[in-house]
Amino acid sequence: MATPSNCSKQYSKFFVLVVFFTTMSTPVLAQLSVGFYASTCPSVLDTVRSATRSAINREARMGASLIRLFFHDCFVNGCDGGVLLDDTTSVPGEKTVLPNSGSARGFEVIDTIKTQVDRACGGSVVSCADILAIAARDSVVELGGPSYSVPLGRRDARAPNRAGMSGLPGFFENLGPLLSKFSAKGFSAQEMVALSGAHTVGQARCVVYRDRIYNETNIDPAYATSLQANCPRATGTNDETLAPLDPQSPNRFGNNYFQALINRRTILHSDQELFNGGSTDSIVRDYSDNPATFSTDFANAMVKMGNMSPLTGTQGEIRRDCKRINEV
């Protein structure tokens, strides 16, 4: 029979082994927090805000592009900066697969902000994933939308998730598949409609909205005709011609998008599906009548999206260059 002293020694050895193997096999996790960089880079928010404002001043469309880039990062594999990685000869990235190829933009802006942040911090302290999250919020605010606090502490993925792109909602999809894709990520129908309100800003290419303006009936005829002038029916003709997602406020954040849905003056099939006799019609009407409700719900949904499966603690890395993983 073991003595109390021997039992204590055996327990101590067992405890050390458990701690050792737990530490070796499980990454240390941490929670995101608004003040994550308070001591390591207190100027990060000011630096990102200034750089984002400058980018939008140079090109008004850039604000919408950064918001969309954040969505496309988070919805694939959590907000891990995976969308920012360039292709390599051995690992194809997320940039060159639909719906990012020829469409996602703003990468060079994030690269510029990263350089400025690293200079301000005295080193590579802030992740590319966090920079993208802050820049998306600052874009919303700069375009006239609601402000909200961004929890920080994300780390960057060491590899893209090209296969995960299939989980992104498509501009051609009907309401059912859209609801399913958002539900799979933990979002309610209300949150899906709120996040879709980001389409109050931004533009789309003719190749994306051509079928809607020629073949769909749930669109205002005069509006469709006005778009056809610069987007001919023939594929390959003026494919890159841009038109606002929301004709009333292409560079100003607000609830006009929901009014456009009710008036059937939107260019994306997936957008009009939110107001087409289905279960989300009442939500669209509510946001159309109550801009404050939309602003609150949108801000909350953006924070929730930013908290989707982040890498924290010792997971991933802090990339020195947002386009490529760090050299070991």
Side-chain angles (χ1 to χ4, degrees):
M1 180 175 179
T3 65
S5 177
N6 287 337
C7 286
S8 177
K9 290 179 182 178
Q10 290 171 7
Y11 174 81
S12 297
K13 291 178 181 178
F14 174 76
F15 178 77
V16 169
L17 286 173
V18 168
V19 171
F20 174 77
F21 284 115
T22 299
T23 303
M24 291 297 290
S25 61
T26 305
V28 177
L29 301 181
Q31 295 297 315
L32 301 181
S33 65
V34 173
F36 186 83
Y37 296 108
S39 59
T40 56
C41 188
S43 63
V44 60
L45 296 180
D46 290 338
T47 303
V48 176
R49 183 184 304 113
S50 177
T52 302
R53 180 179 295 123
S54 295
I56 294 173
N57 286 340
R58 287 192 301 272
E59 182 191 0
R61 182 188 174 200
M62 186 52 68
S65 296
L66 292 174
I67 297 168
R68 182 171 185 262
L69 195 59
F70 176 61
F71 177 83
H72 280 219
D73 185 37
C74 295
F75 233 70
V76 172
N77 196 41
C79 309
D80 61 3
V83 72
L84 305 174
L85 288 167
D86 280 347
D87 288 0
T88 68
T89 54
S90 58
V91 182
E94 298 170 21
K95 289 182 180 180
T96 52
V97 65
L98 290 174
N100 285 338
S101 180
S103 174
R105 52 197 307 276
F107 300 107
E108 72 288 346
V109 172
I110 298 301
D111 290 339
T112 298
I113 298 175
K114 170 67 171 172
T115 299
Q116 295 180 14
V117 167
D118 284 0
R119 185 182 303 122
C121 298
S124 189
V125 175
V126 182
S127 68
C128 300
D130 272 349
I131 288 173
L132 180 54
I134 301 168
R137 186 276 310 275
D138 291 344
S139 294
V140 171
V141 174
E142 191 65 23
L143 297 176
S147 184
Y148 53 91
S149 298
V150 181
L152 301 168
R154 301 169 190 79
R155 288 167 66 85
D156 298 319
R158 291 195 176 100
N161 186 352
R162 192 177 176 97
M165 295 293 295
S166 61
L168 274 169
F171 67 88
F172 51 85
E173 290 185 310
N174 294 329
L175 182 60
L178 292 172
L179 287 168
S180 294
K181 285 187 173 181
F182 275 86
S183 178
K185 299 294 183 179
F187 290 97
S188 67
Q190 182 104 17
E191 290 167 329
M192 180 188 78
V193 176
L195 287 172
S196 298
H199 284 179
T200 188
V201 292
Q203 303 186 61
R205 298 173 296 156
C206 167
V207 69
V208 169
Y209 62 82
R210 174 180 282 121
D211 185 66
R212 172 156 169 74
I213 64 175
Y214 284 102
N215 300 321
E216 297 188 4
T217 58
N218 59 348
I219 185 171
D220 177 70
Y223 177 58
T225 299
S226 69
L227 292 168
Q228 290 169 6
N230 294 313
C231 182
R233 186 187 295 271
T235 303
T237 306
N238 290 9
D239 281 358
E240 300 303 311
T241 298
L242 297 173
L245 293 170
D246 175 358
Q248 295 186 66
S249 60
N251 297 313
R252 196 68 186 165
F253 199 98
N255 72 327
N256 287 339
Y257 163 80
F258 300 104
Q259 297 163 11
L261 288 176
I262 292 172
N263 294 326
R264 305 191 186 283
R265 292 175 61 85
T266 53
I267 60 177
L268 297 185
H269 174 88
S270 57
D271 280 344
Q272 195 59 60
E273 280 291 294
L274 303 183
F275 190 82
N276 195 36
S279 60
T280 54
D281 282 15
S282 60
I283 305 172
V284 170
R285 287 194 183 279
D286 185 34
Y287 287 157
S288 175
D289 294 336
N290 300 286
T293 301
F294 163 57
S295 291
T296 298
D297 288 357
F298 177 80
N300 290 337
M302 286 289 280
V303 173
K304 180 175 178 176
M305 186 170 67
N307 291 342
M308 288 169 56
S309 307
L311 300 175
T312 59
T314 58
Q315 297 175 317
E317 63 184 13
I318 305 296
R319 280 189 226 132
R320 292 183 290 272
D321 182 341
C322 293
K323 298 186 297 296
R324 56 183 62 88
I325 63 173
N326 298 336
E327 294 182 4
V328 180

